[in-house]
Amino acid sequence: MKHPTALHRYTTAAVSSSGKIIGEYSTSFGLACRFLGKLARRDIGNVYALVRLADEIVDGVAQEAGLDVNATAGELDRLETQTEAALTTGYSTNLVVHAFATTARTHGISTELTRPFFRSMRADLYYQQHTAASLQEYIYGSAEVVGLMCLAVFRNMPGTDTSDDELLVTSARRLGAAFQKVNFLRDLATDYQYLGRCYFPGVDPEAFGEDQKRELVAEIRADLAAATPGMRKLDPRARLSVEMAHRLFSELTNTLDQRPAGELLSGRVRVNNTRKLAIAAQTVSTALLKKQNS
């Protein structure tokens, strides 16, 4: 029996370390990823771990540890430098970066996607009120490229129809944008009160009204609808997982729509775990019925 190499053992440890992050930070994505095959679940977990690591740097963890803005920026710069080096060498002393690089090098994820991501993370450190153009650029870097990273993994699954790549790309970007806008709306209180941010141009959180909320909800629903055609082209396991995430965020959008606008500054809106499990069961049941009838 061939013994694993030192690098193989190290990579296994890195992937195991990264895999714990999605479970700690997101029940929705963690639940959706359970239906991917082992390899795709590992790769999506590796992508999520790096994204979450960077996001936590700028969203308060470094600040709570006592770092000022310049020191926090230095940590983010260091993480990006480590990431780019690992994309070239296939190795990093940072376990999360090493795991991400393993996935990225396998699926062709390059600095074309990581650089816009880090640029958007950096923008959070020096926040100013967004314009429509700057918000679009921010969402592309913070969310749409993450959808494209996941798509890079899904493209290499055997059941994915890659004959219309433009459709797949559009779907991945619009879904990422929808998820990000949902998070902006549900985190309105935390972003404004704790981090001093409001991402929506022309919106004063203290005077947030129903008309503004309805406009944002309509925008999210349009993104979710635009993502649907490309989802149908994915490998059945990826499609099931993405559809589940889509349904979970659609449910959250409905919850936000039903909540009075003034209440969104009083706390974070959630879908409870019981409802999430019911949505997961419904998604699996629908997929099984489609398979039986095909």
Side-chain angles (χ1 to χ4, degrees):
M1 181 177 179
K2 186 176 180 180
H3 292 287
T5 65
L7 179 59
H8 180 272
R9 186 178 185 182
Y10 180 81
T11 300
T12 299
V15 169
S16 177
S17 175
S18 286
K20 295 182 184 301
I21 293 177
I22 195 168
E24 182 67 28
Y25 279 96
S26 178
T27 54
S28 295
F29 284 115
L31 182 62
C33 283
R34 289 182 186 179
F35 297 91
L36 291 169
K38 181 180 178 180
L39 295 180
R41 183 168 64 248
R42 175 203 67 190
D43 286 326
I44 297 301
N46 290 345
V47 169
Y48 181 91
L50 179 72
V51 168
R52 175 56 64 177
L53 183 60
D55 198 46
E56 290 303 305
I57 290 174
V58 301
D59 276 357
V61 173
Q63 180 183 2
E64 286 187 21
L67 279 66
D68 63 16
V69 171
N70 290 332
T72 302
E75 290 299 324
L76 188 65
D77 291 345
R78 188 160 22 256
L79 181 61
E80 182 174 17
T81 298
Q82 291 173 341
T83 300
E84 292 205 4
L87 289 176
T88 299
T89 66
Y91 171 73
S92 178
T93 56
N94 181 320
L95 290 175
V96 170
V97 172
H98 182 85
F100 173 79
T102 299
T103 290
R105 285 160 61 90
T106 298
H107 297 289
I109 299 170
S110 70
T111 56
E112 183 179 353
L113 297 180
T114 60
R115 286 179 181 174
F117 170 73
F118 279 103
R119 185 161 56 246
S120 286
M121 294 300 98
R122 200 167 286 110
D124 276 335
L125 295 176
Y126 307 102
Y127 168 76
Q128 294 180 339
Q129 182 68 42
H130 277 292
T131 64
S134 70
L135 181 62
Q136 184 176 357
E137 181 180 1
Y138 178 87
I139 290 175
Y140 174 73
S142 65
E144 292 181 28
V145 299
V146 179
L148 294 175
M149 290 179 195
C150 294
L151 176 59
V153 175
F154 297 151
R155 272 196 194 102
N156 288 327
M157 296 179 73
T160 296
D161 178 0
T162 59
S163 60
D164 190 346
D165 196 60
E166 183 177 351
L167 179 63
L168 292 174
V169 167
T170 297
S171 178
R173 290 185 59 177
R174 293 295 291 271
L175 193 60
F179 290 173
Q180 183 66 290
K181 291 171 189 175
V182 168
N183 286 331
F184 287 162
L185 196 52
R186 75 187 299 206
D187 291 336
L188 195 67
T190 303
D191 285 340
Y192 180 65
Q193 296 167 359
Y194 179 59
L195 298 171
R197 303 175 193 156
C198 178
Y199 289 94
F200 299 115
V203 171
D204 176 5
E206 296 285 1
F208 189 63
E210 286 298 323
D211 288 343
Q212 290 173 315
K213 188 196 74 174
R214 279 194 292 269
E215 182 179 340
L216 295 170
V217 165
E219 199 174 307
I220 291 166
R221 285 178 172 152
D223 283 330
L224 289 170
T228 303
M231 289 162 47
R232 300 189 184 109
K233 302 290 186 179
L234 298 176
D235 179 276
R237 293 164 298 174
R239 183 168 66 246
L240 178 61
S241 293
V242 175
E243 284 180 351
M244 190 171 298
H246 188 283
R247 289 191 181 199
L248 289 168
F249 273 81
S250 295
E251 178 74 9
L252 183 53
T253 302
N254 293 338
T255 303
L256 288 163
D257 192 22
Q258 294 161 9
R259 187 73 58 91
E263 291 186 11
L264 296 183
L265 270 183
S266 64
R268 194 171 195 256
V269 175
R270 296 182 69 254
V271 174
N272 65 53
N273 289 339
T274 300
R275 181 59 184 147
K276 287 179 181 179
L277 290 173
I279 291 169
Q282 290 168 2
T283 306
V284 172
S285 177
T286 299
L288 289 174
L289 284 173
K290 286 180 180 178
K291 186 175 181 180
Q292 289 173 358
N293 295 330
S294 62

